[in-house]
């Protein structure tokens, strides 16, 4: 008797979704066409309809990795967020949002949702608090876990189970964790969004977004996507599919490097706080261990005065100060000036997003080289700065 076996994420990352190659090549052919013959076609492919072969191939790979029924590609992560929410919420509905999400999504909720007649309720990133905040008008809970930039962890099993009982959709942005380390659909989430610009692409050279979930929940999203037109082109879809073949090896190495760096930073005298769920001292450590395969490759660090985040960034020699994240190269940024620049100041203060906070996106370089670079940048010689 043959046993059917669910393939592992490393295997799915390489093989899932690959289109048949008529000349025997290993990769999906690239179909760059934007016009297709329609006579006798059951459904005519057209890029804005999100049904061309390369769009579908990469959507199928992401859906397989997330254990979802199907997926849909977008021109950017934020286009995916926008379309999902607009498709599933109506005027008069309420959206419950976990605090500490990507600043661009936060800004979208502040600027666009009220204009659509959708009320936004911001609540601490905690399962009980989010559930307690839901009212009869609440249609969905939107969150990240780990959150951006403070790496807070939400108990997804608990949240999803009780939200389902209350008839509230759970929509999670899984960009930080990646489908290699966390599968929210298995934990009960309804829709999972990715900025594929980040780990899925992994090489800081494309912009894309994705949403995965059940066919029923994706139907209204696709209907709106066709009208919205934030479409991913075939070339980017092909590049993304190719890049994702190495997703599992990249992400596992990145997470191992991040753990080594977090251990070093936690002992460093110039560092006041390290936000990394892999550290036993992190308040979300036990929940993260129960719902993630490893703790990811994003970490936050708060430096002690007289050092500032800017001083550390300017001293780094290997690690580049750059926006975005998830590439093979390690990058660092000040969330206050980048991801959270458009979030109102009092909310940044409440989240601890200030001039001492840095967010590190750990790459695949040798961990010892990254540690050496951080150590030399954090070294503060009081006599050198006349601040004894
Ligand atoms: C967690 C998260 N979600 C969504 C986005 C938006 O993605 P994109 O820049 O691809 O639109 C970002 C961008 O930084 C992000 O960090």
């Amino acid at each position: 008797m043959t046993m059917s076996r669910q393939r592992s994420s490393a295997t799915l990352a390489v093989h899932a979704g690959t289109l048949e190659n008529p000349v025997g090549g290993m990769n999906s052919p690239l179909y760059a066409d934007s016009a297709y013959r329609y006579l006798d076609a059951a459904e005519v492919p057209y890029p804005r309809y999100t049904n061309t072969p390369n769009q579908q191939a990469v959507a199928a790979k992401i859906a397989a990795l997330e254990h979802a029924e199907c997926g849909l590609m977008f021109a950017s992560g934020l286009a995916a967020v926008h379309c999902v929410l607009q498709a599933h919420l109506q005027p008069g509905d309420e959206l419950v949002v976990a605090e500490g999400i990507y600043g661009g999504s936060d800004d979208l909720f502040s600027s666009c949702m009220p204009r659509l007649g959708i009320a936004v309720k911001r609540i601490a990133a905690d399962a009980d608090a989010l559930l307690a905040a839901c009212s009869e008008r609440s249609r969905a809970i939107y969150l990240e876990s780990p959150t951006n930039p403070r790496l807070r962890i939400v108990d997804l099993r608990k949240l999803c189970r009780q939200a389902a009982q209350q008839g509230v959709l759970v929509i999670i942005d899984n960009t930080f964790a990646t489908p290699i380390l966390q599968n929210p659909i298995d934990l009960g989430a309804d829709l999972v969004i990715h900025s594929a610009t980040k780990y899925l692409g992994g090489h800081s050279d494309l912009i894309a977004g994705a949403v995965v979930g059940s066919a029923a929940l994706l139907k209204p999203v696709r209907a709106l996507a066709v009208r919205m037109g934030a479409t991913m082109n075939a070339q980017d879809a092909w590049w993304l599919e190719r890049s994702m073949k190495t997703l599992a090896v990249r992400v596992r190495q990145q997470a191992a490097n991040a753990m080594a760096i977090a251990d070093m930073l936690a002992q460093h005298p110039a560092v006041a706080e390290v936000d990394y769920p892999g550290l036993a001292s992190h308040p979300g450590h036990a929940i993260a261990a129960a719902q993630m395969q490893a703790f990811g490759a994003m970490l936050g660090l708060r430096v002690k005065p007289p050092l500032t985040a800017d001083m550390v960034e300017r001293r780094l020699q290997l690690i580049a100060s750059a926006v975005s994240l998830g590439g093979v190269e390690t990058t660092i940024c000040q969330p206050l000036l980048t991801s959270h620049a458009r979030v109102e100041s009092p909310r940044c203060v409440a989240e601890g997003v200030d001039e001492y906070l840095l967010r590190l996106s750990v790459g695949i370089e040798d961990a010892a080289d990254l540690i050496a670079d951080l150590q030399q940048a954090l070294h503060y010689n009081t006599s050198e700065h006349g601040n004894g």
Side-chain angles (χ1 to χ4, degrees), residues 76-79 102 105 144 148 173 175-176 195 197-198 207-208 325:
S76 71
L78 209 53
Y102 166 58
S105 306
E144 297 170 11
N148 180 355
D173 178 338
T175 301
F176 268 32
S195 167
T197 318
K198 310 298 185 314
I207 180 157
L325 59 103

Side-chain angles (χ1 to χ4, degrees), residues 76-83 102 104-106 108 194-195 208-209 228:
S76 71
L78 209 53
V81 175
H82 197 161
C83 193
Y102 166 58
S105 306
D106 192 279
L108 170 75
H194 281 278
S195 167
M228 208 165 100

Side-chain angles (χ1 to χ4, degrees), residues 62-69 141 143-146 154-161 169-194 212-214 290-293:
I62 299 170
L65 281 164
E66 284 288 18
H67 308 159
E69 194 179 347
I141 298 172
L143 77 156
E144 297 170 11
S145 179
V154 179
D155 185 335
L156 296 179
R157 257 188 211 94
K158 182 188 218 182
L159 180 78
C160 296
R161 191 174 51 238
L169 288 178
V170 175
I171 304 169
I172 172 160
D173 178 338
N174 202 30
T175 301
F176 268 32
T178 83
I180 304 301
L181 303 185
Q182 179 171 274
N183 295 122
I185 300 268
D186 293 347
L187 303 170
D190 296 291
L191 288 162
V192 176
I193 295 174
H194 281 278
V212 300
S214 68
Q291 66 190 21
M292 299 177 78
Q293 309 293 317

Side-chain angles (χ1 to χ4, degrees), residues 98-110:
E99 278 285 12
I101 55 165
Y102 166 58
S105 306
D106 192 279
D107 177 55
L108 170 75
F109 300 156
S110 303

Side-chain angles (χ1 to χ4, degrees), residues 272-292:
E273 275 175 73
V274 184
D275 299 321
Y276 186 66
L279 292 173
S281 56
H282 187 283
H285 176 70
I287 295 169
Q291 66 190 21
M292 299 177 78

Side-chain angles (χ1 to χ4, degrees), residues 342-357:
R342 298 168 93 144
V343 177
E344 306 101 62
S345 178
R347 293 187 37 241
C348 282
V349 172
E351 263 299 287
V353 175
D354 60 20
E355 66 270 35
Y356 299 102
L357 184 73

